[in-house]
PDB file of all heavy atoms in Angstrom:
ATOM      1  N   SER Q   1      -4.003 -40.399  80.679  1.00 98.00           N
ATOM      2  CA  SER Q   1      -4.531 -40.617  82.030  1.00 98.00           C
ATOM      3  C   SER Q   1      -5.403 -39.444  82.464  1.00 98.00           C
ATOM      4  O   SER Q   1      -5.103 -38.284  82.156  1.00 98.00           O
ATOM      5  CB  SER Q   1      -3.378 -40.780  83.032  1.00 98.00           C
ATOM      6  OG  SER Q   1      -2.493 -41.805  82.640  1.00 98.00           O
ATOM      7  N   PHE Q   2      -6.469 -39.749  83.200  1.00 98.00           N
ATOM      8  CA  PHE Q   2      -7.339 -38.695  83.729  1.00 98.00           C
ATOM      9  C   PHE Q   2      -8.176 -39.278  84.866  1.00 98.00           C
ATOM     10  O   PHE Q   2      -8.310 -40.497  85.009  1.00 98.00           O
ATOM     11  CB  PHE Q   2      -8.248 -38.119  82.647  1.00 98.00           C
ATOM     12  CG  PHE Q   2      -9.129 -39.136  81.967  1.00 98.00           C
ATOM     13  CD1 PHE Q   2     -10.418 -39.387  82.424  1.00 98.00           C
ATOM     14  CD2 PHE Q   2      -8.663 -39.860  80.875  1.00 98.00           C
ATOM     15  CE1 PHE Q   2     -11.219 -40.330  81.806  1.00 98.00           C
ATOM     16  CE2 PHE Q   2      -9.464 -40.803  80.243  1.00 98.00           C
ATOM     17  CZ  PHE Q   2     -10.747 -41.040  80.707  1.00 98.00           C
ATOM     18  N   THR Q   3      -8.746 -38.377  85.674  1.00 98.00           N
ATOM     19  CA  THR Q   3      -9.580 -38.767  86.809  1.00 98.00           C
ATOM     20  C   THR Q   3     -10.863 -37.949  86.798  1.00 98.00           C
ATOM     21  O   THR Q   3     -10.824 -36.723  86.665  1.00 98.00           O
ATOM     22  CB  THR Q   3      -8.840 -38.536  88.146  1.00 98.00           C
ATOM     23  OG1 THR Q   3      -7.623 -39.290  88.148  1.00 98.00           O
ATOM     24  CG2 THR Q   3      -9.699 -38.966  89.328  1.00 98.00           C
ATOM     25  N   GLY Q   4     -12.000 -38.627  86.934  1.00 98.00           N
ATOM     26  CA  GLY Q   4     -13.278 -37.945  86.996  1.00 98.00           C
ATOM     27  C   GLY Q   4     -13.714 -37.681  88.419  1.00 98.00           C
ATOM     28  O   GLY Q   4     -13.073 -38.117  89.378  1.00 98.00           O
ATOM     29  N   VAL Q   5     -14.809 -36.952  88.560  1.00 98.00           N
ATOM     30  CA  VAL Q   5     -15.386 -36.716  89.874  1.00 98.00           C
ATOM     31  C   VAL Q   5     -16.506 -37.722  90.118  1.00 98.00           C
ATOM     32  O   VAL Q   5     -17.006 -38.353  89.184  1.00 98.00           O
ATOM     33  CB  VAL Q   5     -15.940 -35.277  90.002  1.00 98.00           C
ATOM     34  CG1 VAL Q   5     -14.821 -34.260  89.867  1.00 98.00           C
ATOM     35  CG2 VAL Q   5     -17.049 -35.028  88.985  1.00 98.00           C
ATOM     36  N   GLN Q   6     -16.894 -37.885  91.364  1.00 97.00           N
ATOM     37  CA  GLN Q   6     -18.004 -38.776  91.674  1.00 97.00           C
ATOM     38  C   GLN Q   6     -19.280 -38.314  90.971  1.00 97.00           C
ATOM     39  O   GLN Q   6     -19.548 -37.119  90.875  1.00 97.00           O
ATOM     40  CB  GLN Q   6     -18.238 -38.832  93.184  1.00 97.00           C
ATOM     41  CG  GLN Q   6     -17.232 -39.687  93.920  1.00 97.00           C
ATOM     42  CD  GLN Q   6     -17.611 -39.923  95.379  1.00 97.00           C
ATOM     43  OE1 GLN Q   6     -18.761 -39.729  95.772  1.00 97.00           O
ATOM     44  NE2 GLN Q   6     -16.639 -40.343  96.174  1.00 97.00           N
ATOM     45  N   HIS Q   7     -20.030 -39.257  90.458  1.00 95.00           N
ATOM     46  CA  HIS Q   7     -21.301 -39.078  89.750  1.00 95.00           C
ATOM     47  C   HIS Q   7     -21.132 -38.610  88.305  1.00 95.00           C
ATOM     48  O   HIS Q   7     -22.130 -38.374  87.629  1.00 95.00           O
ATOM     49  CB  HIS Q   7     -22.241 -38.125  90.508  1.00 95.00           C
ATOM     50  CG  HIS Q   7     -22.420 -38.475  91.949  1.00 95.00           C
ATOM     51  ND1 HIS Q   7     -22.908 -39.703  92.351  1.00 95.00           N
ATOM     52  CD2 HIS Q   7     -22.139 -37.769  93.089  1.00 95.00           C
ATOM     53  CE1 HIS Q   7     -22.937 -39.731  93.674  1.00 95.00           C
ATOM     54  NE2 HIS Q   7     -22.470 -38.590  94.145  1.00 95.00           N
ATOM     55  N   SER Q   8     -19.899 -38.475  87.831  1.00 96.00           N
ATOM     56  CA  SER Q   8     -19.696 -38.174  86.413  1.00 96.00           C
ATOM     57  C   SER Q   8     -19.719 -39.480  85.618  1.00 96.00           C
ATOM     58  O   SER Q   8     -19.492 -40.557  86.159  1.00 96.00           O
ATOM     59  CB  SER Q   8     -18.369 -37.444  86.190  1.00 96.00           C
ATOM     60  OG  SER Q   8     -17.267 -38.287  86.518  1.00 96.00           O
ATOM     61  N   SER Q   9     -20.010 -39.364  84.327  1.00 96.00           N
ATOM     62  CA  SER Q   9     -20.034 -40.531  83.442  1.00 96.00           C
ATOM     63  C   SER Q   9     -19.245 -40.229  82.175  1.00 96.00           C
ATOM     64  O   SER Q   9     -19.258 -39.088  81.683  1.00 96.00           O
ATOM     65  CB  SER Q   9     -21.473 -40.906  83.061  1.00 96.00           C
ATOM     66  OG  SER Q   9     -22.172 -41.458  84.153  1.00 96.00           O
ATOM     67  N   ILE Q  10     -18.576 -41.254  81.658  1.00 97.00           N
ATOM     68  CA  ILE Q  10     -17.846 -41.148  80.392  1.00 97.00           C
ATOM     69  C   ILE Q  10     -18.667 -41.874  79.343  1.00 97.00           C
ATOM     70  O   ILE Q  10     -18.939 -43.076  79.468  1.00 97.00           O
ATOM     71  CB  ILE Q  10     -16.443 -41.771  80.508  1.00 97.00           C
ATOM     72  CG1 ILE Q  10     -15.648 -41.081  81.617  1.00 97.00           C
ATOM     73  CG2 ILE Q  10     -15.695 -41.664  79.175  1.00 97.00           C
ATOM     74  CD1 ILE Q  10     -14.415 -41.840  82.030  1.00 97.00           C
ATOM     75  N   TYR Q  11     -19.071 -41.164  78.285  1.00 96.00           N
ATOM     76  CA  TYR Q  11     -19.980 -41.738  77.289  1.00 96.00           C
ATOM     77  C   TYR Q  11     -19.289 -42.163  76.003  1.00 96.00           C
ATOM     78  O   TYR Q  11     -19.715 -43.118  75.356  1.00 96.00           O
ATOM     79  CB  TYR Q  11     -21.087 -40.736  76.968  1.00 96.00           C
ATOM     80  CG  TYR Q  11     -21.982 -40.457  78.147  1.00 96.00           C
ATOM     81  CD1 TYR Q  11     -21.934 -39.242  78.816  1.00 96.00           C
ATOM     82  CD2 TYR Q  11     -22.866 -41.428  78.605  1.00 96.00           C
ATOM     83  CE1 TYR Q  11     -22.749 -38.995  79.905  1.00 96.00           C
ATOM     84  CE2 TYR Q  11     -23.684 -41.189  79.701  1.00 96.00           C
ATOM     85  CZ  TYR Q  11     -23.625 -39.967  80.339  1.00 96.00           C
ATOM     86  OH  TYR Q  11     -24.424 -39.728  81.427  1.00 96.00           O
ATOM     87  N   SER Q  12     -18.246 -41.471  75.604  1.00 96.00           N
ATOM     88  CA  SER Q  12     -17.548 -41.836  74.375  1.00 96.00           C
ATOM     89  C   SER Q  12     -16.148 -41.228  74.391  1.00 96.00           C
ATOM     90  O   SER Q  12     -15.892 -40.244  75.088  1.00 96.00           O
ATOM     91  CB  SER Q  12     -18.313 -41.360  73.130  1.00 96.00           C
ATOM     92  OG  SER Q  12     -18.386 -39.943  73.103  1.00 96.00           O
ATOM     93  N   MET Q  13     -15.242 -41.840  73.594  1.00 97.00           N
ATOM     94  CA  MET Q  13     -13.875 -41.347  73.460  1.00 97.00           C
ATOM     95  C   MET Q  13     -13.383 -41.657  72.052  1.00 97.00           C
ATOM     96  O   MET Q  13     -13.881 -42.574  71.391  1.00 97.00           O
ATOM     97  CB  MET Q  13     -12.943 -42.006  74.490  1.00 97.00           C
ATOM     98  CG  MET Q  13     -13.277 -41.713  75.935  1.00 97.00           C
ATOM     99  SD  MET Q  13     -12.143 -42.557  77.087  1.00 97.00           S
ATOM    100  CE  MET Q  13     -12.604 -44.259  76.783  1.00 97.00           C
ATOM    101  N   GLN Q  14     -12.401 -40.890  71.627  1.00 96.00           N
ATOM    102  CA  GLN Q  14     -11.754 -41.157  70.340  1.00 96.00           C
ATOM    103  C   GLN Q  14     -10.293 -40.736  70.417  1.00 96.00           C
ATOM    104  O   GLN Q  14      -9.962 -39.689  70.966  1.00 96.00           O
ATOM    105  CB  GLN Q  14     -12.451 -40.406  69.208  1.00 96.00           C
ATOM    106  CG  GLN Q  14     -11.856 -40.703  67.829  1.00 96.00           C
ATOM    107  CD  GLN Q  14     -12.731 -40.189  66.703  1.00 96.00           C
ATOM    108  OE1 GLN Q  14     -13.898 -40.558  66.605  1.00 96.00           O
ATOM    109  NE2 GLN Q  14     -12.173 -39.326  65.849  1.00 96.00           N
ATOM    110  N   LEU Q  15      -9.427 -41.575  69.857  1.00 96.00           N
ATOM    111  CA  LEU Q  15      -7.987 -41.341  69.868  1.00 96.00           C
ATOM    112  C   LEU Q  15      -7.505 -41.293  68.425  1.00 96.00           C
ATOM    113  O   LEU Q  15      -7.643 -42.265  67.682  1.00 96.00           O
ATOM    114  CB  LEU Q  15      -7.303 -42.479  70.623  1.00 96.00           C
ATOM    115  CG  LEU Q  15      -5.874 -42.303  71.119  1.00 96.00           C
ATOM    116  CD1 LEU Q  15      -5.768 -41.143  72.095  1.00 96.00           C
ATOM    117  CD2 LEU Q  15      -5.404 -43.595  71.781  1.00 96.00           C
ATOM    118  N   ASP Q  16      -6.955 -40.131  68.004  1.00 96.00           N
ATOM    119  CA  ASP Q  16      -6.433 -39.957  66.650  1.00 96.00           C
ATOM    120  C   ASP Q  16      -4.929 -39.761  66.703  1.00 96.00           C
ATOM    121  O   ASP Q  16      -4.412 -39.079  67.596  1.00 96.00           O
ATOM    122  CB  ASP Q  16      -7.079 -38.746  65.973  1.00 96.00           C
ATOM    123  CG  ASP Q  16      -8.530 -38.983  65.624  1.00 96.00           C
ATOM    124  OD1 ASP Q  16      -9.404 -38.815  66.504  1.00 96.00           O
ATOM    125  OD2 ASP Q  16      -8.800 -39.332  64.464  1.00 96.00           O
ATOM    126  N   GLN Q  17      -4.223 -40.342  65.711  1.00 96.00           N
ATOM    127  CA  GLN Q  17      -2.774 -40.217  65.626  1.00 96.00           C
ATOM    128  C   GLN Q  17      -2.351 -39.841  64.211  1.00 96.00           C
ATOM    129  O   GLN Q  17      -3.024 -40.197  63.236  1.00 96.00           O
ATOM    130  CB  GLN Q  17      -2.100 -41.540  66.005  1.00 96.00           C
ATOM    131  CG  GLN Q  17      -2.521 -42.087  67.360  1.00 96.00           C
ATOM    132  CD  GLN Q  17      -1.968 -43.476  67.618  1.00 96.00           C
ATOM    133  OE1 GLN Q  17      -0.789 -43.751  67.334  1.00 96.00           O
ATOM    134  NE2 GLN Q  17      -2.791 -44.357  68.161  1.00 96.00           N
ATOM    135  N   SER Q  18      -1.236 -39.140  64.119  1.00 96.00           N
ATOM    136  CA  SER Q  18      -0.669 -38.782  62.819  1.00 96.00           C
ATOM    137  C   SER Q  18       0.847 -38.692  62.933  1.00 96.00           C
ATOM    138  O   SER Q  18       1.382 -38.397  64.010  1.00 96.00           O
ATOM    139  CB  SER Q  18      -1.237 -37.445  62.324  1.00 96.00           C
ATOM    140  OG  SER Q  18      -0.570 -37.023  61.153  1.00 96.00           O
ATOM    141  N   ASP Q  19       1.539 -38.940  61.822  1.00 96.00           N
ATOM    142  CA  ASP Q  19       2.996 -38.808  61.808  1.00 96.00           C
ATOM    143  C   ASP Q  19       3.425 -37.426  61.318  1.00 96.00           C
ATOM    144  O   ASP Q  19       4.606 -37.205  61.021  1.00 96.00           O
ATOM    145  CB  ASP Q  19       3.638 -39.908  60.949  1.00 96.00           C
ATOM    146  CG  ASP Q  19       3.185 -39.872  59.501  1.00 96.00           C
ATOM    147  OD1 ASP Q  19       2.339 -39.020  59.149  1.00 96.00           O
ATOM    148  OD2 ASP Q  19       3.672 -40.707  58.703  1.00 96.00           O
ATOM    149  N   VAL Q  20       2.474 -36.498  61.210  1.00 95.00           N
ATOM    150  CA  VAL Q  20       2.753 -35.128  60.781  1.00 95.00           C
ATOM    151  C   VAL Q  20       2.368 -34.174  61.894  1.00 95.00           C
ATOM    152  O   VAL Q  20       1.312 -34.334  62.532  1.00 95.00           O
ATOM    153  CB  VAL Q  20       1.979 -34.784  59.495  1.00 95.00           C
ATOM    154  CG1 VAL Q  20       2.153 -33.317  59.122  1.00 95.00           C
ATOM    155  CG2 VAL Q  20       2.430 -35.679  58.350  1.00 95.00           C
ATOM    156  N   VAL Q  21       3.202 -33.167  62.163  1.00 91.00           N
ATOM    157  CA  VAL Q  21       2.905 -32.178  63.195  1.00 91.00           C
ATOM    158  C   VAL Q  21       1.755 -31.293  62.726  1.00 91.00           C
ATOM    159  O   VAL Q  21       1.759 -30.787  61.604  1.00 91.00           O
ATOM    160  CB  VAL Q  21       4.140 -31.302  63.488  1.00 91.00           C
ATOM    161  CG1 VAL Q  21       3.790 -30.212  64.496  1.00 91.00           C
ATOM    162  CG2 VAL Q  21       5.292 -32.155  63.985  1.00 91.00           C
ATOM    163  N   GLN Q  22       0.768 -31.093  63.577  1.00 79.00           N
ATOM    164  CA  GLN Q  22      -0.342 -30.183  63.298  1.00 79.00           C
ATOM    165  C   GLN Q  22      -0.806 -29.617  64.627  1.00 79.00           C
ATOM    166  O   GLN Q  22      -1.206 -30.341  65.524  1.00 79.00           O
ATOM    167  CB  GLN Q  22      -1.477 -30.893  62.569  1.00 79.00           C
ATOM    168  CG  GLN Q  22      -1.724 -32.316  62.986  1.00 79.00           C
ATOM    169  CD  GLN Q  22      -2.199 -33.157  61.828  1.00 79.00           C
ATOM    170  OE1 GLN Q  22      -2.905 -32.702  60.953  1.00 79.00           O
ATOM    171  NE2 GLN Q  22      -1.808 -34.417  61.836  1.00 79.00           N
ATOM    172  N   THR Q  23      -0.719 -28.314  64.744  1.00 55.00           N
ATOM    173  CA  THR Q  23      -1.006 -27.659  66.021  1.00 55.00           C
ATOM    174  C   THR Q  23      -2.472 -27.746  66.381  1.00 55.00           C
ATOM    175  O   THR Q  23      -2.845 -27.674  67.537  1.00 55.00           O
ATOM    176  CB  THR Q  23      -0.575 -26.195  65.994  1.00 55.00           C
ATOM    177  OG1 THR Q  23      -1.236 -25.534  64.896  1.00 55.00           O
ATOM    178  CG2 THR Q  23       0.924 -26.088  65.802  1.00 55.00           C
ATOM    179  N   ALA Q  24      -3.357 -27.881  65.387  1.00 50.00           N
ATOM    180  CA  ALA Q  24      -4.792 -28.005  65.663  1.00 50.00           C
ATOM    181  C   ALA Q  24      -5.409 -28.885  64.606  1.00 50.00           C
ATOM    182  O   ALA Q  24      -5.088 -28.779  63.424  1.00 50.00           O
ATOM    183  CB  ALA Q  24      -5.469 -26.633  65.668  1.00 50.00           C
ATOM    184  N   ALA Q  25      -6.288 -29.769  65.025  1.00 46.00           N
ATOM    185  CA  ALA Q  25      -6.965 -30.637  64.074  1.00 46.00           C
ATOM    186  C   ALA Q  25      -7.946 -29.830  63.242  1.00 46.00           C
ATOM    187  O   ALA Q  25      -8.599 -28.918  63.741  1.00 46.00           O
ATOM    188  CB  ALA Q  25      -7.708 -31.737  64.813  1.00 46.00           C
ATOM    189  N   THR Q  26      -8.058 -30.123  61.952  1.00 48.00           N
ATOM    190  CA  THR Q  26      -8.986 -29.441  61.066  1.00 48.00           C
ATOM    191  C   THR Q  26     -10.216 -30.307  60.875  1.00 48.00           C
ATOM    192  O   THR Q  26     -10.129 -31.388  60.304  1.00 48.00           O
ATOM    193  CB  THR Q  26      -8.336 -29.177  59.688  1.00 48.00           C
ATOM    194  OG1 THR Q  26      -7.138 -28.445  59.883  1.00 48.00           O
ATOM    195  CG2 THR Q  26      -9.300 -28.392  58.796  1.00 48.00           C
ATOM    196  N   PRO Q  27     -11.388 -29.860  61.370  1.00 52.00           N
ATOM    197  CA  PRO Q  27     -12.581 -30.686  61.244  1.00 52.00           C
ATOM    198  C   PRO Q  27     -13.108 -30.713  59.831  1.00 52.00           C
ATOM    199  O   PRO Q  27     -12.768 -29.862  59.004  1.00 52.00           O
ATOM    200  CB  PRO Q  27     -13.579 -29.992  62.177  1.00 52.00           C
ATOM    201  CG  PRO Q  27     -13.141 -28.565  62.180  1.00 52.00           C
ATOM    202  CD  PRO Q  27     -11.634 -28.607  62.064  1.00 52.00           C
ATOM    203  N   GLU Q  28     -13.934 -31.691  59.557  1.00 51.00           N
ATOM    204  CA  GLU Q  28     -14.601 -31.755  58.269  1.00 51.00           C
ATOM    205  C   GLU Q  28     -15.483 -30.523  58.096  1.00 51.00           C
ATOM    206  O   GLU Q  28     -15.942 -29.929  59.074  1.00 51.00           O
ATOM    207  CB  GLU Q  28     -15.468 -33.019  58.191  1.00 51.00           C
ATOM    208  CG  GLU Q  28     -14.676 -34.310  58.255  1.00 51.00           C
ATOM    209  CD  GLU Q  28     -13.822 -34.534  57.020  1.00 51.00           C
ATOM    210  OE1 GLU Q  28     -14.110 -33.896  55.987  1.00 51.00           O
ATOM    211  OE2 GLU Q  28     -12.874 -35.335  57.095  1.00 51.00           O
ATOM    212  N   PRO Q  29     -15.740 -30.070  56.849  1.00 45.00           N
ATOM    213  CA  PRO Q  29     -16.534 -28.856  56.640  1.00 45.00           C
ATOM    214  C   PRO Q  29     -17.868 -28.876  57.361  1.00 45.00           C
ATOM    215  O   PRO Q  29     -18.306 -27.866  57.900  1.00 45.00           O
ATOM    216  CB  PRO Q  29     -16.719 -28.832  55.113  1.00 45.00           C
ATOM    217  CG  PRO Q  29     -15.543 -29.572  54.584  1.00 45.00           C
ATOM    218  CD  PRO Q  29     -15.249 -30.639  55.598  1.00 45.00           C
ATOM    219  N   GLY Q  30     -18.538 -30.020  57.383  1.00 44.00           N
ATOM    220  CA  GLY Q  30     -19.835 -30.092  58.036  1.00 44.00           C
ATOM    221  C   GLY Q  30     -19.755 -29.929  59.537  1.00 44.00           C
ATOM    222  O   GLY Q  30     -20.737 -29.586  60.195  1.00 44.00           O
ATOM    223  N   THR Q  31     -18.560 -30.176  60.108  1.00 45.00           N
ATOM    224  CA  THR Q  31     -18.386 -30.073  61.546  1.00 45.00           C
ATOM    225  C   THR Q  31     -18.007 -28.669  61.973  1.00 45.00           C
ATOM    226  O   THR Q  31     -18.207 -28.283  63.125  1.00 45.00           O
ATOM    227  CB  THR Q  31     -17.276 -31.048  62.012  1.00 45.00           C
ATOM    228  OG1 THR Q  31     -17.588 -32.350  61.529  1.00 45.00           O
ATOM    229  CG2 THR Q  31     -17.170 -31.089  63.532  1.00 45.00           C
ATOM    230  N   LEU Q  32     -17.479 -27.875  61.040  1.00 41.00           N
ATOM    231  CA  LEU Q  32     -16.999 -26.546  61.372  1.00 41.00           C
ATOM    232  C   LEU Q  32     -18.103 -25.680  61.964  1.00 41.00           C
ATOM    233  O   LEU Q  32     -17.883 -24.949  62.931  1.00 41.00           O
ATOM    234  CB  LEU Q  32     -16.416 -25.876  60.118  1.00 41.00           C
ATOM    235  CG  LEU Q  32     -15.756 -24.504  60.334  1.00 41.00           C
ATOM    236  CD1 LEU Q  32     -14.619 -24.635  61.337  1.00 41.00           C
ATOM    237  CD2 LEU Q  32     -15.235 -23.948  59.018  1.00 41.00           C
ATOM    238  N   ALA Q  33     -19.302 -25.758  61.407  1.00 44.00           N
ATOM    239  CA  ALA Q  33     -20.416 -24.965  61.919  1.00 44.00           C
ATOM    240  C   ALA Q  33     -20.750 -25.347  63.350  1.00 44.00           C
ATOM    241  O   ALA Q  33     -21.091 -24.505  64.170  1.00 44.00           O
ATOM    242  CB  ALA Q  33     -21.640 -25.141  61.029  1.00 44.00           C
ATOM    243  N   ILE Q  34     -20.626 -26.638  63.661  1.00 43.00           N
ATOM    244  CA  ILE Q  34     -20.897 -27.095  65.019  1.00 43.00           C
ATOM    245  C   ILE Q  34     -19.893 -26.494  65.983  1.00 43.00           C
ATOM    246  O   ILE Q  34     -20.233 -26.013  67.059  1.00 43.00           O
ATOM    247  CB  ILE Q  34     -20.852 -28.633  65.092  1.00 43.00           C
ATOM    248  CG1 ILE Q  34     -21.940 -29.224  64.185  1.00 43.00           C
ATOM    249  CG2 ILE Q  34     -21.022 -29.123  66.528  1.00 43.00           C
ATOM    250  CD1 ILE Q  34     -21.919 -30.724  64.119  1.00 43.00           C
ATOM    251  N   LEU Q  35     -18.610 -26.496  65.581  1.00 45.00           N
ATOM    252  CA  LEU Q  35     -17.571 -25.951  66.448  1.00 45.00           C
ATOM    253  C   LEU Q  35     -17.761 -24.460  66.662  1.00 45.00           C
ATOM    254  O   LEU Q  35     -17.606 -23.949  67.772  1.00 45.00           O
ATOM    255  CB  LEU Q  35     -16.191 -26.224  65.842  1.00 45.00           C
ATOM    256  CG  LEU Q  35     -15.804 -27.692  65.705  1.00 45.00           C
ATOM    257  CD1 LEU Q  35     -14.373 -27.806  65.219  1.00 45.00           C
ATOM    258  CD2 LEU Q  35     -15.974 -28.425  67.015  1.00 45.00           C
ATOM    259  N   LEU Q  36     -18.087 -23.729  65.582  1.00 44.00           N
ATOM    260  CA  LEU Q  36     -18.294 -22.298  65.714  1.00 44.00           C
ATOM    261  C   LEU Q  36     -19.474 -22.009  66.625  1.00 44.00           C
ATOM    262  O   LEU Q  36     -19.454 -21.076  67.427  1.00 44.00           O
ATOM    263  CB  LEU Q  36     -18.518 -21.670  64.331  1.00 44.00           C
ATOM    264  CG  LEU Q  36     -17.299 -21.689  63.401  1.00 44.00           C
ATOM    265  CD1 LEU Q  36     -17.674 -21.112  62.036  1.00 44.00           C
ATOM    266  CD2 LEU Q  36     -16.139 -20.915  63.996  1.00 44.00           C
ATOM    267  N   GLY Q  37     -20.498 -22.827  66.518  1.00 47.00           N
ATOM    268  CA  GLY Q  37     -21.656 -22.653  67.381  1.00 47.00           C
ATOM    269  C   GLY Q  37     -21.359 -22.981  68.828  1.00 47.00           C
ATOM    270  O   GLY Q  37     -22.021 -22.492  69.736  1.00 47.00           O
ATOM    271  N   ALA Q  38     -20.343 -23.809  69.048  1.00 44.00           N
ATOM    272  CA  ALA Q  38     -20.010 -24.205  70.420  1.00 44.00           C
ATOM    273  C   ALA Q  38     -19.156 -23.177  71.132  1.00 44.00           C
ATOM    274  O   ALA Q  38     -19.058 -23.194  72.351  1.00 44.00           O
ATOM    275  CB  ALA Q  38     -19.270 -25.551  70.407  1.00 44.00           C
ATOM    276  N   LEU Q  39     -18.530 -22.256  70.400  1.00 46.00           N
ATOM    277  CA  LEU Q  39     -17.621 -21.307  71.032  1.00 46.00           C
ATOM    278  C   LEU Q  39     -18.305 -20.431  72.075  1.00 46.00           C
ATOM    279  O   LEU Q  39     -17.765 -20.225  73.160  1.00 46.00           O
ATOM    280  CB  LEU Q  39     -16.943 -20.447  69.956  1.00 46.00           C
ATOM    281  CG  LEU Q  39     -15.936 -21.198  69.079  1.00 46.00           C
ATOM    282  CD1 LEU Q  39     -15.344 -20.251  68.048  1.00 46.00           C
ATOM    283  CD2 LEU Q  39     -14.834 -21.820  69.920  1.00 46.00           C
ATOM    284  N   PRO Q  40     -19.508 -19.862  71.802  1.00 47.00           N
ATOM    285  CA  PRO Q  40     -20.160 -19.088  72.858  1.00 47.00           C
ATOM    286  C   PRO Q  40     -20.435 -19.917  74.099  1.00 47.00           C
ATOM    287  O   PRO Q  40     -20.280 -19.446  75.222  1.00 47.00           O
ATOM    288  CB  PRO Q  40     -21.459 -18.612  72.190  1.00 47.00           C
ATOM    289  CG  PRO Q  40     -21.172 -18.658  70.729  1.00 47.00           C
ATOM    290  CD  PRO Q  40     -20.246 -19.833  70.550  1.00 47.00           C
ATOM    291  N   ALA Q  41     -20.848 -21.177  73.891  1.00 46.00           N
ATOM    292  CA  ALA Q  41     -21.108 -22.058  75.040  1.00 46.00           C
ATOM    293  C   ALA Q  41     -19.822 -22.318  75.800  1.00 46.00           C
ATOM    294  O   ALA Q  41     -19.821 -22.393  77.026  1.00 46.00           O
ATOM    295  CB  ALA Q  41     -21.728 -23.371  74.574  1.00 46.00           C
ATOM    296  N   ALA Q  42     -18.709 -22.464  75.079  1.00 45.00           N
ATOM    297  CA  ALA Q  42     -17.426 -22.713  75.742  1.00 45.00           C
ATOM    298  C   ALA Q  42     -17.019 -21.527  76.592  1.00 45.00           C
ATOM    299  O   ALA Q  42     -16.551 -21.686  77.718  1.00 45.00           O
ATOM    300  CB  ALA Q  42     -16.354 -23.009  74.691  1.00 45.00           C
ATOM    301  N   ALA Q  43     -17.200 -20.317  76.054  1.00 43.00           N
ATOM    302  CA  ALA Q  43     -16.835 -19.120  76.804  1.00 43.00           C
ATOM    303  C   ALA Q  43     -17.698 -19.000  78.061  1.00 43.00           C
ATOM    304  O   ALA Q  43     -17.202 -18.696  79.143  1.00 43.00           O
ATOM    305  CB  ALA Q  43     -16.997 -17.885  75.922  1.00 43.00           C
ATOM    306  N   PHE Q  44     -19.001 -19.251  77.917  1.00 44.00           N
ATOM    307  CA  PHE Q  44     -19.897 -19.195  79.067  1.00 44.00           C
ATOM    308  C   PHE Q  44     -19.511 -20.244  80.090  1.00 44.00           C
ATOM    309  O   PHE Q  44     -19.492 -19.985  81.290  1.00 44.00           O
ATOM    310  CB  PHE Q  44     -21.339 -19.408  78.619  1.00 44.00           C
ATOM    311  CG  PHE Q  44     -22.328 -19.365  79.756  1.00 44.00           C
ATOM    312  CD1 PHE Q  44     -22.866 -18.162  80.165  1.00 44.00           C
ATOM    313  CD2 PHE Q  44     -22.701 -20.529  80.418  1.00 44.00           C
ATOM    314  CE1 PHE Q  44     -23.777 -18.116  81.222  1.00 44.00           C
ATOM    315  CE2 PHE Q  44     -23.604 -20.487  81.464  1.00 44.00           C
ATOM    316  CZ  PHE Q  44     -24.143 -19.280  81.864  1.00 44.00           C
ATOM    317  N   TYR Q  45     -19.170 -21.433  79.604  1.00 43.00           N
ATOM    318  CA  TYR Q  45     -18.784 -22.542  80.482  1.00 43.00           C
ATOM    319  C   TYR Q  45     -17.556 -22.177  81.301  1.00 43.00           C
ATOM    320  O   TYR Q  45     -17.510 -22.395  82.501  1.00 43.00           O
ATOM    321  CB  TYR Q  45     -18.521 -23.777  79.641  1.00 43.00           C
ATOM    322  CG  TYR Q  45     -17.876 -24.926  80.379  1.00 43.00           C
ATOM    323  CD1 TYR Q  45     -18.632 -25.799  81.149  1.00 43.00           C
ATOM    324  CD2 TYR Q  45     -16.501 -25.142  80.301  1.00 43.00           C
ATOM    325  CE1 TYR Q  45     -18.049 -26.851  81.819  1.00 43.00           C
ATOM    326  CE2 TYR Q  45     -15.916 -26.190  80.972  1.00 43.00           C
ATOM    327  CZ  TYR Q  45     -16.700 -27.037  81.729  1.00 43.00           C
ATOM    328  OH  TYR Q  45     -16.097 -28.079  82.384  1.00 43.00           O
ATOM    329  N   LEU Q  46     -16.544 -21.584  80.655  1.00 45.00           N
ATOM    330  CA  LEU Q  46     -15.323 -21.236  81.365  1.00 45.00           C
ATOM    331  C   LEU Q  46     -15.595 -20.167  82.408  1.00 45.00           C
ATOM    332  O   LEU Q  46     -15.074 -20.219  83.518  1.00 45.00           O
ATOM    333  CB  LEU Q  46     -14.262 -20.763  80.365  1.00 45.00           C
ATOM    334  CG  LEU Q  46     -13.726 -21.857  79.427  1.00 45.00           C
ATOM    335  CD1 LEU Q  46     -12.769 -21.242  78.419  1.00 45.00           C
ATOM    336  CD2 LEU Q  46     -13.042 -22.969  80.204  1.00 45.00           C
TER     337      LEU Q  46
END
């Protein structure tokens, strides 16, 4: 469950499930560079 603010839009969603405990999802190798590149933006955003 979640609530957005007025004038926000939801463009896409994905729901993943597993029967094994994992504290953090491990992205595919090609995605790792994207995540690392996003960290500075995340820090600035916060």
Side-chain angles (χ1 to χ4, degrees):
S1 305
F2 58 93
T3 302
V5 297
Q6 283 190 17
H7 309 302
S8 65
S9 289
I10 302 165
Y11 295 108
S12 64
M13 297 179 293
Q14 183 168 303
L15 197 60
D16 289 83
Q17 306 173 43
S18 173
D19 60 358
V20 174
V21 176
Q22 36 213 326
T23 57
T26 304
E28 296 292 341
T31 307
L32 185 59
I34 298 176
L35 297 185
L36 293 177
L39 290 179
F44 180 87
Y45 169 82
L46 292 176

